[in-house]
Amino acid sequence: MTKFVNGLYKNQALFYKVFLFALTAILIVYLLPKGGKFKYEIPKGKPWQYENLYAPFDFAILKTEEEIQAERQEITRNNTPYFQFDESKLPEIKEQAQSEIELVFTDSILNIHQKQIEEFVNTSLDDLYENGILQESNRLDPDQLVYLRRGNEAFEIPYKRILKLNQVRDVLAQKIENSNLTSLSDGLLEVFFNSVEPNVEFDNELTQRELESKLNNISYTRGNVEQGSRIIAKGEVVEGNKYHILRSLRTEYESQVWSGSSYIWIIVGYSTLVALALLMLLLFIRKYRYDIFENNVKVTFIFFNILFMVMLTTLVVRFNIDYVYVVPLAVLPLTLKAFFDSRLGLFTHVVTVLLLGFIVPNSYEYMFLQIIAGIVTILTVSELYKRANLFISVGEITLVYIISYFAFTIIQEGSIAEIEAEVFLTFLLGGLATLFVQPLIYIYEKIFGLVSDMSLLELSDTNSKLLKEMAEKAPGTFHHSLNVANLAEAAANEINANAMLVRVGALYHDIGKMHNPTYFSENQTSNVNTHDDLDPRESAQIIIEHVIKGIEIGKKNNLPDRVIDFIRTHHGTSTVYFFYKKAKEKDENVPADAFRYPGPIPFSKETAILMMCDGVEAASKSLREPTSGLIDNFVEKIVNKQMEEGQFLNANITFKEIQLIKKILKRKLKNIYHLRVEYPE
């Protein structure tokens, strides 16, 4: 049992990766569509390359979006509007008119014509309000049929039969002219104008409800295809009705909710493909980026980004498939390049796009566009911390999207008439969303404890609190660090290493010397050496302690681990040779381990570069009268000694790269000492 527990403990990192792998695969499969996957690509305008295709089941032929839109417009155009008739108004208006008659006409006129006037007014009002009076014209065709709703019943009448308020005067004038009351026309008109008011209004709510009901009843299909009937033969061109039938079959196939054993087999198929894609990524990381594979936080970060992109794309597809290109997929390679490298960023991007092919329609077109965009992202984005570079790269990525879509549309449609301007807008929105990568990188740094070039740029500022403190407490060490940073940056550029990272590492590698600055020669301002009164072993421990103190100071000031690695490794497991030699003069049997740095030895190109530059720069202060030949021999001696001690065994650096670094160090030191070329006598 103890052996089993110990085995679990020793392999806990591996078990965690297996758990992470399984969890990511399960979540991605859960997000994938719950239907079958149509196994054919539909190449519009091209010959059908597959075998003869027969309908596997009965299915309806879907109308195109254009057909549905045209039908909706036709229904909207021909929709019959509703008008509400208020029946309670007429009795009130008649009562008002009766009062107006008594006010407008004199008693002498009423004594003679009152009965005639009242009868004319009541009859005219009945005629005016037969179909009601409308306040304003709705600019409808006079012959268009409308529904006039009276109570719970609606009657269909021509629109012109509803009297408009501005027509009332003409109608009344005609009625008065046809009566025997023409002499009283002014008074009668005044009675009507003081009484008449609209009693019909447009019923927008009922009209819209009726319109929505009709729109909801639109059939999205036109005809059916019976099981077993041939859809298309091999070699036939995929166009016209054939194309629409194939798309209808694909939609029906993918929308079917599978049950029982079929559903289980589909889940098994999805799980196998997703697991295979993620496994390829893990194997790639293990073979070519083993340091990342060993770091569970970094592996978690990579898998999290894949899952995040799959989840985001799934949500957008379910919301509206037209916005699928708004998802800024280029953020994935940008982020991984910022924290790791281009090769890993591109490989992860390709794996993610392959997984998204299960989710999006027109998967070949989508994958082509996204992979090309990912390649452009990797090739164009350099020095992400420079804002101008990011804007330029986003512009280039958006342009590639547009050009690729343009080309695909021409291939599929045979003309540019079918190009949809709205798609270009989604590409622009996706490009703008890609600019979110900078705040996203900052968030990732805080969550996962990673460091990007943007953080390194901030750390390289010599006005930062920690570097200013070192400049005050240990000015000689600060000057030494600046010189080492310049040498290391030049060397890193020569062999295509991370120059920004090695420069920052060089600036902070000796911060531990702030603890006892006067015990280091570069900070001593007098001829008195504080080590003269100490035992060599004690002096060596003080010197060695600056590495431990540097790590403590770095952690206290929240320096990233990648920067603290330079503090740990810049002396590797070398010995404090000066004091070791001094101790041997007193005792030949003194152990070398007492004078040895704790390590570890450098484990990357950047940490190896710092060790070389630090050793050469520190030792160069001992050169009295440097010449070109002396400097060449001096650099060779320092670096070769480090190699003989095995300090670079764990660093992925080649002999060729070491020779290039030596060359740079020689040239830089000659520039520092202003040496001229030595001509032979």
Side-chain angles (χ1 to χ4, degrees), residues 287-318:
K287 184 173 179 61
Y288 296 105
R289 299 292 182 271
Y290 192 74
D291 56 323
I292 296 175
F293 182 80
E294 287 291 290
N295 190 317
N296 282 339
V297 173
K298 293 180 179 179
V299 175
T300 304
F301 173 72
I302 294 169
F303 276 64
F304 171 80
N305 273 275
I306 295 173
L307 186 60
F308 176 69
M309 283 301 166
V310 172
M311 186 180 299
L312 188 60
T313 305
T314 303
L315 291 174
V316 171
V317 167
R318 290 178 181 175

Side-chain angles (χ1 to χ4, degrees), residues 72-81 144-145 211 214:
R72 292 176 66 90
Q73 290 175 356
E74 182 68 18
I75 290 173
T76 302
R77 186 166 52 251
N78 296 327
N79 185 49
T80 304
Q144 180 177 342
L145 294 175
L211 176 60
K214 291 178 180 177

Side-chain angles (χ1 to χ4, degrees), residues 58-61 221-226 229:
D58 295 340
F59 66 94
I61 303 172
T221 63
R222 50 173 177 82
N224 292 285
V225 176
E226 294 183 358
S229 59

Side-chain angles (χ1 to χ4, degrees), residues 1 15 32 54 65 179 200 265 287 396 437 536 645 665:
M1 184 66 182
F15 288 133
L32 295 180
Y54 297 89
E65 190 64 35
S179 69
V200 174
W265 280 114
K287 184 173 179 61
E396 292 171 345
V437 68
E645 292 178 349
L665 293 177

Side-chain angles (χ1 to χ4, degrees), residues 110 189 202 207 231 256 278 324 363 394 451 475 544 623:
L110 290 176
L189 288 174
F202 176 62
T207 303
I231 296 173
Q256 286 185 0
L278 295 178
V324 68
S363 55
V394 166
V451 58
I544 291 170
L623 296 175

Side-chain angles (χ1 to χ4, degrees), residues 447-667:
I447 295 175
F448 292 95
L450 301 172
V451 58
S452 68
D453 285 351
M454 286 181 278
S455 292
L456 292 176
L457 182 65
E458 294 174 2
L459 291 170
S460 67
D461 183 7
T462 54
N463 287 316
S464 65
K465 179 182 177 182
L466 190 55
L467 291 180
K468 284 182 75 172
E469 184 182 352
M470 183 166 70
E472 292 173 4
K473 291 183 177 179
T477 299
F478 178 72
H479 185 260
H480 159 71
S481 298
L482 286 176
N483 290 338
V484 173
N486 292 331
L487 291 174
E489 185 176 22
N493 284 324
E494 186 69 19
I495 65 169
N496 294 320
N498 191 332
M500 178 67 73
L501 176 61
V502 76
R503 178 175 181 83
V504 172
L507 288 173
Y508 291 91
H509 78 283
D510 270 344
I511 55 173
K513 292 181 179 179
M514 287 193 295
H515 181 62
N516 283 315
T518 57
Y519 283 91
F520 300 91
S521 58
E522 67 265 24
N523 298 313
Q524 294 171 356
T525 56
S526 64
N527 293 327
V528 178
N529 191 334
T530 50
H531 288 284
D532 291 342
D533 300 327
L534 298 175
D535 181 75
R537 192 186 295 256
E538 189 178 352
S539 295
Q541 289 305 310
I542 292 173
I543 299 299
I544 291 170
E545 193 180 37
H546 89 272
V547 173
I548 308 300
K549 290 295 181 183
I551 295 171
E552 292 176 358
I553 294 171
K555 288 185 175 180
K556 184 179 178 182
N557 287 272
N558 297 317
L559 287 182
D561 286 340
R562 288 179 75 186
V563 177
I564 294 176
D565 286 340
F566 287 90
I567 303 173
R568 287 192 182 99
T569 61
H570 74 278
H571 285 296
T573 55
S574 62
T575 57
V576 186
Y577 188 72
F578 177 82
F579 292 109
Y580 175 57
K581 186 177 178 181
K582 194 173 180 182
K584 283 192 73 172
E585 292 174 359
K586 296 181 180 180
D587 181 6
E588 277 291 331
N589 298 320
V590 65
D593 289 343
F595 296 85
R596 193 179 302 280
Y597 284 97
I601 60 176
F603 47 80
S604 66
K605 286 182 183 180
E606 289 76 18
T607 50
I609 289 170
L610 178 62
M611 173 177 275
M612 293 183 229
C613 295
D614 182 45
V616 167
E617 204 285 330
S620 68
K621 298 295 189 292
S622 64
L623 296 175
R624 297 292 177 229
E625 296 179 0
T627 62
S628 180
L630 184 61
I631 286 176
D632 288 348
N633 293 332
F634 167 77
V635 171
E636 290 286 343
K637 180 182 177 182
I638 296 292
V639 176
N640 288 343
K641 183 181 178 184
Q642 292 172 341
M643 292 175 65
E644 289 168 5
E645 292 178 349
Q647 298 298 325
F648 306 138
L649 290 178
N650 290 345
N652 58 337
I653 192 166
T654 65
F655 284 115
K656 181 180 179 181
E657 289 170 336
I658 292 175
Q659 288 303 117
L660 290 172
I661 293 169
K662 287 180 183 178
K663 183 179 176 182
I664 289 294
L665 293 177
K666 292 171 186 177
R667 190 173 74 226

